[in-house]
């Protein structure tokens, strides 16, 4: 087993390229530490500032997790997504989809994804070191409870970065010491076990609330976010007992429900709904100009080409004909209306999507579409003021249904709740294949869920052209990183 290195004394605050923040605003998103802070300049006796390093990790994570190149790499390999845009624009995404990994080891976006995710890790490591310095001055049980919660928030975000890292690369270093001199790969099993252990800590110390219930910082991660990540990792491992236990605890809390309108779920009305277990949060503070917290072009990357501001973008990550036909054959009109943004048509929200040029997309990802009439007047960037949905209660229900069926139980109840929202008839004695089909429809275009479902169920070689078991599951570690550290080979 590779060594997991412990953190040592260091205080680093990462530079964040999203600059924003209005003075006097109390939302947790708008608190970022300075670019560099000397240790002697930080007053660790002032426990009122103990949350500041946590805020910094949230800000870095929101920006790095929404990097458009990273989203392209995680989304492209399933049978629900094509590259889009002009044929030769970022053609490496096509190589990724064709599993021609030898052609992308030097792809700049692959390297930027690695660096961005490890930037979240190192920022979290630094925040934990800072919190430990505050801890030295804690004298009350209430402040110790805050310390435990704050460290759990940071550890969740760090684990979320490792979750993404292992989805891209499988085996990778578990870095919890920013001063480590020797960095080697841990196995995928070690990385996933590390995440599970971290979630046990987070479950014990995060608040027993929905994210939208957290006082003074709505959208912060909670016990249920941690249970969700625990279930997601266990699902990849085929540990269905853990999946069942974690999802059942979320369900039994009775805190979550499906947002009734699937179309609006992904738009401004659906921000931080009761369906949300984790979102990447962004805001324009309700003002038509000035400061704003924005994603790293996640929305613009997927917006329709040749549009008119604010309904325009770069045209990447578009629905395949396979997913469009699949929805039509199921008569899955509710989810189709949301998922597919057709060029040359008028949306239910009243926006006209421009027709595509020859050779360019005729359909875009509707889950990345924010209607113009929901945007703050004066804001013209595509998707401005919207959040990015990451973990949803619908996934809890379908994971629960799958875990029940795989453990010889009946999964009809959670399964049919998801179908009811899509206005589809209930199914009795649901099978595993029916659950996988429901996941395909429910999570189309979301975070590579379809690709990971195909891989974990062994269906990928039969469905994905070019996929070879043992070769197609993980990207190569970027050549830039191997050049810097041959231990990563």
């Amino acid at each position: 087993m590779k060594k997991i290195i412990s953190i040592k004394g260091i205080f680093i605050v990462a530079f964040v390229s999203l600059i924003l923040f209005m003075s006097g605003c109390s939302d947790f998103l708008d608190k970022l530490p300075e670019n560099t802070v000397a240790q002697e300049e930080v007053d660790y006796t002032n426990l009122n500032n103990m949350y500041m390093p946590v805020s910094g990790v949230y800000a870095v994570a929101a920006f790095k997790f929404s990097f458009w190149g990273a989203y392209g790499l995680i989304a492209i390999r399933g049978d629900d997504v094509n590259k889009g845009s002009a044929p030769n624009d970022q053609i490496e995404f096509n190589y990724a989809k064709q599993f021609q990994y030898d052609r992308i080891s030097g792809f700049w976006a692959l390297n930027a994804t690695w660096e961005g995710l490890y930037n979240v890790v190192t920022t979290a490591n630094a925040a934990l070191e800072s919190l430990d310095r505050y801890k030295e001055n804690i004298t009350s049980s209430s402040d110790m409870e805050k310390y435990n919660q704050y460290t759990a928030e940071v550890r969740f975000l760090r684990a979320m970065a490792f979750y993404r890292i292992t989805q891209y690369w499988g085996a990778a270093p578990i870095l919890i010491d920013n001063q480590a001199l020797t960095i080697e790969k841990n196995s995928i099993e070690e990385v996933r076990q590390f995440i599970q252990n971290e979630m046990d800590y987070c479950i014990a110390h995060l608040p027993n609330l929905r994210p939208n219930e957290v006082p003074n910082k709505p959208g912060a991660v909670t016990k249920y976010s941690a249970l969700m990540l625990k279930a997601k990792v266990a699902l990849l491992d085929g540990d269905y007992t853990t999946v069942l236990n974690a999802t059942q605890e979320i369900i039994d809390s009775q805190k979550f429900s499906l947002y009734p309108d699937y179309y609006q779920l992904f738009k401004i009305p659906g921000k931080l709904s009761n369906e949300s277990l984790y979102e990447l949060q962004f805001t324009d503070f309700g003002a038509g100009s000035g400061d704003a917290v924005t994603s790293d072009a996640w929305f613009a990357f997927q917006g329709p080409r040749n549009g008119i501001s604010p309904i325009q973008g770069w045209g990447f990550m578009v629905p395949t004909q396979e997913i469009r036909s699949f929805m039509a054959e199921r008569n899955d009109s509710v989810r189709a209306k949301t998922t597919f943004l057709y060029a040359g048509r008028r949306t239910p929200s009243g926006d006209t999507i421009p027709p595509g040029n020859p050779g360019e997309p005729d359909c875009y990802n509707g889950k990345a579409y924010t209607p113009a009439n929901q945007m703050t007047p004066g804001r013209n960037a595509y998707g401005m003021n919207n959040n990015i949905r990451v973990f949803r209660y619908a996934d809890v229900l379908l994971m629960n249904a799958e875990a029940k069926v795989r453990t010889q139980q009946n999964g009809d109840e959670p399964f049919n709740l998801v179908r009811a929202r899509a206005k589809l008839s209930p199914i009795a004695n649901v099978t595993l294949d029916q659950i996988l089909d429901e996941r395909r429809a429910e999570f189309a275009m979301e975070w590579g869920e379809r690709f990971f479902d195909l891989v974990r169920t062994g269906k990928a070689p039969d469905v994905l052209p070019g996929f070879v078991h043992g070769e197609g599951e993980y990207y190569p570690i970027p050549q830039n990183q191997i050049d810097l550290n041959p231990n990563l080979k």
Side-chain angles (χ1 to χ4, degrees):
M1 178 176 289
K2 300 286 195 310
K3 180 181 179 185
I4 300 176
I5 307 167
S6 63
I7 190 165
K8 298 178 182 177
I10 184 172
F11 183 75
I12 299 173
V13 181
F15 173 77
V16 184
S17 48
L18 70 134
I19 300 200
L20 315 164
F21 309 119
M22 296 177 66
S23 60
C25 181
S26 62
D27 190 278
F28 82 99
L29 279 170
D30 70 308
K31 297 174 183 173
L32 253 183
E34 298 294 330
N35 180 25
T36 56
V37 181
Q39 284 194 20
E40 58 272 16
E41 294 179 4
V42 178
D43 181 4
Y44 290 105
T45 66
N46 185 356
L47 301 182
N48 290 327
N49 291 334
M50 187 164 56
Y51 198 74
M52 286 191 67
V54 186
S55 299
V57 181
Y58 273 108
V60 172
F63 196 67
K64 297 302 183 181
F65 290 164
S66 68
F67 168 46
W68 61 268
Y71 184 75
L73 286 165
I74 206 168
I76 192 61
R77 293 178 293 180
D79 62 352
D80 55 339
V81 179
N82 281 334
K83 179 183 78 68
S85 190
N88 293 320
D89 193 1
Q90 305 294 331
I91 198 169
E92 291 86 352
F93 287 125
N94 273 342
Y95 301 149
K97 185 168 185 65
Q98 296 157 7
F99 303 99
Q100 298 178 18
Y101 292 161
D102 58 317
R103 305 183 72 174
I104 65 166
S105 63
F107 183 28
W108 73 270
L110 190 69
N111 187 62
T113 299
W114 175 282
E115 290 181 341
L117 291 173
Y118 274 103
N119 183 213
V120 176
V121 170
T122 56
T123 304
N125 292 344
L128 290 171
E129 170 63 15
S130 181
L131 288 169
D132 284 346
R133 296 289 301 276
Y134 282 108
K135 181 184 179 183
E136 295 171 2
N137 297 288
I138 289 176
T139 58
S140 70
S141 59
S142 61
D143 283 334
M144 181 57 70
E145 185 176 342
K146 289 179 182 178
Y147 164 84
N148 290 333
Q149 178 181 328
Y150 297 170
T151 55
E153 289 182 62
V154 173
R155 288 168 70 166
F156 174 91
L157 295 170
R158 183 177 65 179
M160 189 70 199
F162 282 120
Y163 172 61
R164 290 294 185 222
I165 287 166
T166 197
Q167 284 185 307
Y168 290 108
W169 292 286
I174 301 174
L175 177 65
I176 57 174
D177 179 0
N178 291 347
Q179 291 182 323
L181 299 178
T182 302
I183 299 174
E184 297 181 351
K185 285 195 297 185
N186 292 83
S187 69
I188 186 171
E189 294 80 12
E190 289 170 337
V191 179
R192 288 178 178 170
Q193 187 59 56
F194 173 79
I195 296 170
Q196 296 291 42
N197 294 343
E198 290 292 276
M199 289 309 96
D200 290 340
Y201 178 87
C202 294
I203 291 164
H205 294 293
L206 287 172
N208 186 28
L209 299 169
R210 278 193 315 271
N212 64 10
E213 292 180 313
V214 180
N216 303 317
K217 46 180 182 174
V221 296
T222 72
K223 168 185 176 180
Y224 301 105
S225 312
L227 282 164
M228 178 69 165
L229 183 51
K230 189 173 186 68
K232 294 292 283 183
V233 174
L235 189 69
L236 294 176
D237 279 336
D239 178 1
Y240 300 111
T241 299
T242 296
V243 174
L244 181 57
N245 291 341
T247 55
Q248 196 63 50
E249 186 169 353
I250 297 170
I251 293 168
D252 289 346
S253 74
Q254 299 184 16
K255 287 184 170 293
F256 295 87
S257 59
L258 297 175
Y259 192 76
D261 188 331
Y262 190 75
Y263 181 78
Q264 296 294 350
L265 170 64
F266 297 92
K267 298 169 179 59
I268 300 298
K271 288 177 68 172
L272 290 184
S273 72
N274 289 355
E275 184 168 344
S276 176
L277 286 94
Y278 178 48
E279 291 184 16
L280 305 180
Q281 295 190 76
F282 307 100
T283 181
D284 60 15
F285 302 106
S289 62
D291 296 329
V293 180
T294 63
S295 72
D296 184 14
W298 189 91
F299 293 96
F301 178 58
Q302 301 174 79
R305 288 169 65 83
N306 309 309
I308 298 174
S309 179
I311 308 301
Q312 63 178 351
W314 309 347
F316 285 92
M317 301 301 110
V318 301
T320 62
Q321 187 57 55
E322 287 91 339
I323 189 63
R324 290 153 68 176
S325 297
F326 174 75
M327 293 276 209
E329 290 163 3
R330 289 165 50 93
N331 198 25
D332 205 329
S333 59
V334 170
R335 287 184 286 214
K337 178 182 74 171
T338 302
T339 307
F340 308 138
L341 191 69
Y342 284 99
R345 298 188 191 178
R346 191 172 179 84
T347 73
S349 303
D351 294 312
T352 298
I353 307 304
N357 293 329
E360 294 188 359
D362 65 351
C363 187
Y364 301 95
N365 181 8
K367 291 178 178 177
Y369 158 63
T370 303
N373 61 16
Q374 293 183 7
M375 296 173 67
T376 303
R379 298 293 188 179
N380 294 316
Y382 190 70
M384 192 71 172
N385 198 40
N386 207 345
N387 289 351
I388 299 173
R389 284 64 173 166
V390 179
F391 288 156
R392 302 196 280 116
Y393 186 56
D395 201 359
V396 173
L397 293 171
L398 290 179
M399 285 194 292
N400 184 264
E402 180 175 343
K404 284 178 175 174
V405 169
R406 287 187 181 273
T407 55
Q408 289 73 55
Q409 301 177 56
N410 186 287
D412 290 0
E413 183 176 358
F415 174 82
N416 284 316
L417 284 172
V418 178
R419 282 182 64 84
R421 197 250 305 266
K423 298 191 169 35
L424 296 173
S425 300
I427 295 175
N429 299 313
V430 63
T431 66
L432 177 59
D433 282 342
Q434 288 169 328
I435 293 169
L436 293 173
D437 279 349
E438 206 64 34
R439 290 184 61 83
R440 183 182 183 186
E442 178 71 21
F443 306 118
M445 314 292 294
E446 294 185 52
W447 296 105
E449 290 291 339
R450 172 63 173 167
F451 172 75
F452 297 115
D453 282 348
L454 290 171
V455 169
R456 69 182 178 82
T457 57
K459 297 176 182 289
D462 297 326
V463 176
L464 303 176
F467 181 93
V468 176
H469 178 67
E471 298 178 7
E473 290 88 345
Y474 304 112
Y475 286 119
I477 289 178
Q479 187 60 49
N480 289 29
Q481 300 304 318
I482 293 174
D483 291 343
L484 291 169
N485 182 6
N487 291 331
L488 299 178
K489 285 185 179 178

